[in-house]
Amino acid sequence: MPTLDIDRSDLNLLLGRSPGDEELHRLLEGRKAEMKGQEGPLLRVEVTDTNRPDLWCAEGLARACRPPRAYPCFEPGEAALGIRAGASLRELRPFVQAFRARGPGLSAGALAALIQTQEKLAENFGRSRKTVSIGVYRAGAIRFPVSYEAGAPGEPRMRALGDTQIRTFTEILRAHPKGIEYGTILSPGKPVPVLKDASGTILSFPPIINSDDLGQVRVGDGDLLVEATGADLDAVLLVENILAANLSDRGWIVEPLATEYPFDTPRGRRVRTPGGWGEGRCPPLEVPLGEFTRLLGETPSDEEAAGALRGAGHRVQTGKGTLLVTFPPWRGDAMHPVDAVEDFLLARGAGSFPPRPLETFTIGRAASASRVEDRVRDHLLGLGLEEIFSNLLCDRVSLRDRMRRALPEPVTIANPMSERFACLRDSLLPGLLRMEGSSGDARYPHRLFEVGEIARPDAGAPHGSRTLCSAAVLVAAERAPFTQMASLLAQILQWLDIPYRLQEAPDGTYWEGRHAQILLGGTRAGSIGEIHPEVMERWGIRMPCAAFEIDLGSPFGLSPA
Amino acid sequence: LYVVGSRPSDAVRLQQAVLEEVAQHPGASLSSLPGDAERETARQMSRGRFALLTIETKESRRWRVTTAGVPLREDAHRTGGTEEIGELTPESLRDGSWKTAKPRAYNLSLQPPRIVAGRRHPYRSFLDGVRAKLVSLGFEEMHGPLVESEFWNMDALYMPQTHPARAIHDVYRVETRSHAGDLPAPLLGRVAAAHERGEGCGSRGWGYAFDRDATARLVLRSQGTALSSRWMAMHAKSPGKYFAIARCFRPDVVDATHASDFYQVEGIVIGTEIHYGHLRGLLEMFGRELAQAEACEVRPGYFPFTEPSVEAFIRHPRIGWMEMGGAGLFRPEVTTPPGVKGQVIAWGLGLDRMAMVALGVDDIRDLFATRLDTLRKMRSAPLV
């Protein structure tokens, strides 16, 4: 969900008018964007559609708010040879496409926008430059055709953008900030992609960094080469199309160029940039009028549907009850007719289709697990106990070291944000003990309970663990003897009509001789006893405690998830 | 007390005198000391960290009827008088002595003593109310595992494996067991084909090579929609309305607006005649029934698994406009592989904000407070 900083006056220039705040809000809303605020001349805009990279820039948002116009650069036509791609990069990063554009010199605002768009596209759409990365160069000094070849890391040397010295690629990887950030995309020691012009001057090491002379675009530049490289040809071309449309919108003339490949690509061996209508990720979609009915509950006429879609920038051919819809070249989201129907919905207005009540009768039902939990909670409340509600995530120390129990490892997160929230609880007692440990100042007695989900490690389960329902009670008071807990347990199980037995079994959490395991139908289903003083010390508890915990799954026939 | 070679000072002599008196007559009264100076010295010696003696104060009182009260006393004895009693006892009920006694009235201006009592956790109780309301609207509750495979959590929902929300910092991976062992093979094949070429769904698909190893990776459930995805394939009927109040997990720095684990209320509505108008109707019904909304508006939204999608806003009588959640119609790439007949509305409500307002809580961490006093002070959600 990219967030953009857009110069408001630049946006107004592209829109061709200056809408007030409220109107701008509405315009952006209709394009799934939200105005988050304004600081000085810059608007903060959040764009939610991750499948519409064309909207991640001021030009794209403005384009979606204006009536459509013609773009000559996307029409079929000849393209001079711009780049010769080498076979050496076929495995590594095969595709490179570029176009040239000439126009009024870049204003500061337009340059800032171009840099931001480059960043957003390469980061979010290009997956941190892995799938697509972009380079922009001053075209005037470039000798065409450009070559795209692999170089050995120790050989090609250039002064990188923002650097003071000429270095080899390996040195750049180590010393330059971009090298450090993006170097992992390329395998160490392997050949590196090098973009060079016909006279041998290095333009850049895609996807890492441009050179400092040809690769440094400045305010006032009016002749640019816009390039993209990557492993997915359609993605590369989509990005190029977006940038071509953006510059066209600013009044620039886009000059298509072609790349020649020594191997077959999905679009042949000579591929033109920008791509044209109906290619790559936006082939024409056949949209039967029935799709509109199915999704919207209304059937528009051919003309109404076609008109709305054309207003949104599509090319539409009407036929017998079907529309042939071609999305513009800067969009890559035409997968299924529903995508065209949504554009029709947006053009008409999301609020223009009235709400309809649901008419089918269905019977409502709570899940068995919820009903069991609620029954047990009712009984515990009836005994005057206070309900607590804890996080499911906790730390390993709480689940193991502090409990004096040797058990298999709890479900542990491989990429936790902090140690405090690194495991899924496999018991409710730690949560109760944590509450007690931080509540020494609350009026006593403390008679607490929790009923809820736990994740018990189970090597035999398909997910390595089972999600179960558990219930636990903790009493902290000046006198918290085993007998009291046993009476509570007996009362609950009597109300639930579950026969049980207590039996001796070792359990480090409790004080020796003052605890038992709970057996339901002969199987171990829980534990009960006075908490071991050492456990209380580890939790910082100074009041005697007794507890029990019981598995609710087996007595009620709940199958674990 | 002594400095060698000098005579004791006045203060020291007084202290000696007091100590001798107390040693000979322990428990003697203060007034038995000879003079004011001795009594003051004794008081000083009873204070501070190194007090040498303690002074106990005992109060004794004597009562006497005044001359004005004498005739009243005689009066009371003549008319039999009533004795005031504080409490009834089993004895006074047995022997009837209560009949000649008068209950002593309570001072109603005093606060009664606080008691420790049990009650439902306010946040959980709020969620209980949501469950009850959804069941009353004809929704059946779904449930599923906390640890889920990427297949159900994302792939079966047509979320591409290259989507930014699947990056390492957006979902929790499981270390103790990395892959699921029970993915349904035929469905997996159809889902993979849907991602790659849109096969069988009338779609072009995402156009990338589906990774069958990644789909089996285990994560902590990051969205409630994972349950809908499971249920749709295994249990759901058409027509049908389903919901879940599901605990979900997303990597985030825990602070006043982000909890380590949180609830999502979401579900699906399946039917053959369901369309966008019903989606709006559903959201309006939720707004009215769950949040007392006076109005409900929608604006365009985006989810990878629905098209079209909306975000829903409601106008609450007190709070004003606020976001309620989102909904959309599941894409054919989601409904075709499991063989769903009809259309599916997928909906999700963000109720934590509403809960915080109802419970008067500013910090989201307090919903799962770990201090008993914080919990005891939390108010319950208003009855409406």
Side-chain angles (χ1 to χ4, degrees):
Chain A
M1 232 137 305
T3 306
L4 313 170
D5 286 315
I6 295 182
D7 187 315
R8 189 151 184 178
S9 50
D10 189 41
L11 182 63
N12 290 342
L13 194 70
L14 292 161
L15 280 170
R17 61 188 210 279
S18 307
D21 278 353
E22 239 191 74
E23 195 196 340
L24 190 56
H25 248 295
R26 267 188 305 107
L27 279 175
L28 290 175
E29 246 182 37
R31 276 90 209 145
K32 307 183 203 175
E34 195 185 335
M35 235 168 80
K36 290 294 205 187
Q38 179 160 356
E39 235 179 83
L42 292 178
L43 276 174
R44 200 121 248 262
V45 177
E46 193 185 321
V47 191
T48 56
D49 197 330
T50 48
N51 209 19
R52 289 287 303 272
D54 63 296
L55 292 176
W56 303 350
C57 50
E59 297 93 332
L61 288 167
R63 190 159 55 236
C65 295
R66 278 187 349 242
R69 47 161 284 225
Y71 292 85
C73 61
F74 298 119
E75 299 308 321
E78 283 305 304
L81 180 65
I83 308 179
R84 269 213 186 87
S88 52
L89 286 169
R90 187 176 188 178
E91 301 307 312
L92 200 64
R93 199 176 179 82
F95 303 111
V96 57
Q97 302 288 137
F99 65 84
R100 188 170 181 166
R102 282 181 250 246
L106 278 177
S107 66
L111 178 58
L114 178 60
I115 292 172
Q116 186 183 227
T117 306
Q118 230 182 298
E119 260 166 49
K120 298 298 174 192
L121 288 175
E123 269 310 306
N124 298 18
F125 183 70
R127 296 176 75 206
S128 302
R129 301 194 187 182
K130 279 195 280 281
T131 337
V132 183
S133 70
I134 302 163
V136 184
Y137 314 85
R138 288 159 49 233
I142 297 176
R143 305 278 309 279
F144 287 92
V146 166
S147 75
Y148 180 65
E149 291 277 359
E155 285 171 23
R157 299 164 149 269
M158 74 169 187
R159 191 172 65 240
L161 199 56
D163 204 347
T164 48
Q165 291 181 19
I166 297 183
R167 300 181 205 269
T168 65
F169 184 74
T170 328
E171 288 162 5
I172 290 176
L173 271 193
R174 251 184 289 133
H176 196 282
K178 295 293 178 195
I180 296 166
E181 196 179 345
Y182 295 105
T184 47
I185 296 172
L186 303 170
S187 317
K190 287 270 168 67
V192 321
V194 183
L195 209 52
K196 243 194 308 217
D197 85 344
S199 67
T201 316
I202 296 183
L203 297 176
S204 65
F205 294 145
I208 307 297
I209 189 70
N210 281 8
S211 76
D212 201 55
D213 41 29
L214 291 175
Q216 193 185 115
V217 174
R218 294 185 288 254
V219 173
D221 280 348
D223 184 3
L224 300 175
L225 179 74
V226 179
E227 151 271 308
T229 62
D232 179 338
L233 182 57
D234 280 347
V236 166
L237 279 165
L238 179 60
V239 161
E240 287 289 288
N241 291 352
I242 292 171
L243 294 168
N246 287 0
L247 283 167
S248 301
D249 284 345
R250 289 191 187 275
W252 287 53
I253 308 289
V254 169
E255 189 190 304
L257 294 174
T259 304
E260 257 175 25
Y261 296 93
F263 46 83
D264 287 322
T265 77
R267 301 214 198 180
R269 289 200 172 206
R270 189 179 167 111
V271 183
R272 200 190 96 124
T273 331
W277 284 79
E279 291 173 12
R281 288 193 174 191
C282 43
L285 278 180
E286 248 187 64
V287 185
L289 283 176
E291 279 295 281
F292 293 88
T293 323
R294 187 174 71 89
L295 287 169
L296 305 175
E298 279 181 33
T299 315
S301 67
D302 278 32
E303 284 321 305
E304 192 199 345
L309 288 170
R310 284 181 191 124
H314 299 304
R315 286 188 175 166
V316 186
Q317 270 177 325
T318 53
K320 297 181 213 101
T322 301
L323 302 175
L324 194 65
V325 182
T326 311
F327 282 40
W330 53 85
R331 289 186 54 170
D333 58 314
M335 283 185 283
H336 184 285
V338 297
D339 295 303
V341 175
E342 195 196 56
D343 277 349
F344 173 76
L345 174 77
L346 292 181
R348 268 269 300 266
S352 72
F353 295 86
R356 296 231 197 280
L358 293 174
E359 273 149 3
T360 42
F361 172 75
T362 53
I363 297 179
R365 192 176 286 127
S368 332
S370 301
R371 283 181 284 134
V372 166
E373 284 188 7
D374 280 350
R375 176 62 64 88
V376 174
R377 289 165 68 209
D378 274 345
H379 287 322
L380 292 169
L381 288 162
L383 290 168
L385 305 181
E386 289 177 77
E387 182 173 38
I388 75 161
F389 206 17
S390 326
N391 286 117
L392 289 183
L393 288 184
C394 56
D395 56 317
R396 199 192 167 283
V397 165
S398 293
L399 292 178
R400 292 290 178 268
D401 309 30
R402 288 205 185 143
M403 300 304 291
R404 283 184 93 240
R405 269 176 177 164
L407 287 170
E409 280 306 292
V411 175
T412 307
I413 295 172
N415 53 328
M417 287 298 282
S418 67
E419 256 179 44
R420 167 73 180 85
F421 298 108
C423 302
L424 266 184
R425 71 182 183 198
D426 64 347
S427 161
L428 295 174
L429 281 184
L432 287 162
L433 288 164
R434 161 170 277 119
M435 172 68 93
E436 181 51 37
S438 33
S439 304
D441 56 341
R443 178 188 292 265
Y444 278 89
H446 298 168
R447 302 167 78 234
L448 316 171
F449 79 92
E450 181 159 15
V451 177
E453 292 171 303
I454 58 171
R456 186 162 295 143
D458 181 345
H463 289 184
S465 61
R466 293 193 187 277
T467 303
L468 305 166
C469 279
S470 186
V473 172
L474 180 84
V475 172
E478 290 195 13
R479 295 198 60 246
F482 176 88
T483 340
Q484 204 184 94
M485 292 314 291
S487 297
L488 281 175
L489 181 70
Q491 182 63 87
I492 300 279
L493 293 178
Q494 190 226 308
W495 277 332
L496 294 172
D497 200 17
I498 300 174
Y500 75 103
R501 219 167 28 92
L502 295 183
Q503 194 178 80
E504 273 178 39
D507 190 335
T509 301
Y510 302 103
W511 214 13
E512 295 88 39
R514 326 244 327 158
H515 69 277
Q517 66 175 344
I518 303 168
L519 298 174
L520 304 178
T523 357
R524 184 197 165 102
S527 60
I528 176 172
E530 293 171 17
I531 302 288
H532 199 289
E534 208 178 296
V535 170
M536 292 200 283
E537 227 172 56
R538 293 177 188 183
W539 283 100
I541 297 172
R542 292 272 160 81
M543 193 63 84
C545 290
F548 69 76
E549 179 163 13
I550 185 160
D551 170 14
L552 296 178
S554 44
F556 292 100
L558 295 176
S559 38
Chain B
L1 286 174
Y2 288 94
V3 174
V4 173
S6 66
R7 283 185 310 115
S9 66
D10 283 347
V12 170
R13 270 189 297 109
L14 280 171
Q15 284 168 359
Q16 273 180 298
V18 167
L19 285 173
E20 270 166 27
E21 175 65 31
V22 174
Q24 278 171 24
H25 306 108
S29 71
L30 201 57
S31 51
S32 65
L33 292 173
D36 277 340
E38 282 83 351
R39 283 189 277 279
E40 184 49 41
T41 304
R43 283 194 200 95
Q44 282 170 10
M45 288 164 78
S46 73
R47 297 189 200 121
R49 272 177 78 196
F50 301 109
L52 295 168
L53 47 88
T54 51
I55 302 178
E56 266 175 26
T57 314
K58 283 191 219 171
E59 211 179 82
S60 70
R61 295 184 184 185
R62 275 184 300 183
W63 304 93
R64 191 170 53 80
V65 179
T66 61
T67 23
V70 167
L72 292 174
R73 184 176 60 183
E74 280 164 11
D75 228 16
H77 278 164
R78 223 179 335 104
T79 58
T82 42
E83 197 188 310
E84 268 197 352
I85 54 169
E87 279 173 5
L88 280 177
T89 59
E91 288 76 37
S92 70
L93 284 172
R94 267 200 300 273
D95 63 24
S97 57
W98 63 271
K99 293 181 188 151
T100 50
K102 189 169 168 261
R104 178 159 60 239
Y106 272 100
N107 182 347
L108 297 176
S109 63
L110 293 177
Q111 286 283 22
R114 303 289 311 274
I115 51 170
V116 172
R119 93 177 148 150
R120 284 182 195 256
H121 188 288
Y123 179 40
R124 190 153 181 175
S125 186
F126 172 87
L127 296 172
D128 291 340
V130 171
R131 176 181 291 110
K133 175 55 85 173
L134 289 171
V135 168
S136 80
L137 293 172
F139 286 77
E140 192 179 315
E141 190 173 14
M142 307 182 279
H143 60 91
L146 295 167
V147 175
E148 189 57 282
S149 60
E150 291 199 21
F151 178 73
W152 292 115
N153 200 63
M154 295 129 167
D155 294 326
L157 291 168
Y158 197 59
M159 209 162 144
Q161 290 172 330
T162 51
H163 193 277
R166 295 177 73 155
I168 195 73
H169 50 272
D170 287 304
V171 80
Y172 280 131
R173 298 252 157 84
V174 178
E175 184 174 277
T176 35
R177 165 73 75 93
S178 62
H179 287 68
D182 66 341
L183 296 185
L187 180 60
L188 170 54
R190 291 196 292 273
V191 168
H195 279 241
E196 289 181 344
R197 294 170 304 281
E199 203 175 287
C201 315
S203 162
R204 208 170 38 85
W206 289 110
Y208 71 95
F210 188 80
D211 185 342
R212 285 178 186 236
D213 178 82
T215 198
R217 279 196 302 229
L218 288 172
V219 299
L220 294 192
R221 178 167 74 201
S222 70
Q223 51 183 348
T225 323
L227 279 170
S228 291
S229 132
R230 237 180 211 276
W231 218 259
M232 207 169 51
M234 305 211 251
H235 308 293
K237 302 186 182 50
S238 175
K241 304 210 283 280
Y242 301 89
F243 81 98
I245 301 178
R247 199 85 76 114
C248 298
F249 310 85
R250 284 204 197 143
D252 240 325
V253 173
V254 172
D255 61 23
T257 52
H258 297 94
S260 73
D261 44 289
F262 53 93
Y263 273 103
Q264 280 192 341
V265 179
E266 62 76 58
I268 48 179
V269 175
I270 309 180
T272 40
E273 302 291 312
I274 300 271
H275 58 69
Y276 179 76
H278 298 117
L279 184 155
R280 287 201 69 192
L282 180 76
L283 290 169
E284 209 174 65
M285 179 177 75
F286 283 153
R288 204 175 51 233
E289 298 295 327
L290 286 170
Q292 300 83 52
E294 295 164 334
C296 176
E297 295 290 327
V298 292
R299 73 170 187 221
Y302 172 77
F303 306 103
F305 33 86
T306 50
E307 188 96 337
S309 324
V310 298
E311 281 170 21
F313 292 80
I314 48 163
R315 193 176 74 226
H316 186 271
R318 243 183 333 111
I319 307 166
W321 285 102
M322 55 187 278
E323 193 169 340
M324 181 178 70
L329 292 171
F330 266 154
R331 296 186 64 106
E333 297 93 336
V334 177
T335 55
T336 314
V340 172
K341 304 273 179 294
Q343 299 274 81
V344 184
I345 298 172
W347 57 269
L349 306 174
L351 292 182
D352 278 351
R353 261 265 255 115
M354 224 173 280
M356 285 168 71
V357 169
L359 303 174
V361 162
D362 287 320
D363 186 327
I364 201 174
R365 290 168 289 193
D366 285 345
L367 291 175
F368 293 118
T370 51
R371 284 191 63 243
L372 198 51
D373 265 345
T374 314
L375 174 55
R376 284 173 172 173
K377 287 197 195 90
M378 202 183 294
R379 64 167 190 247
S380 295
L383 263 177
V384 172

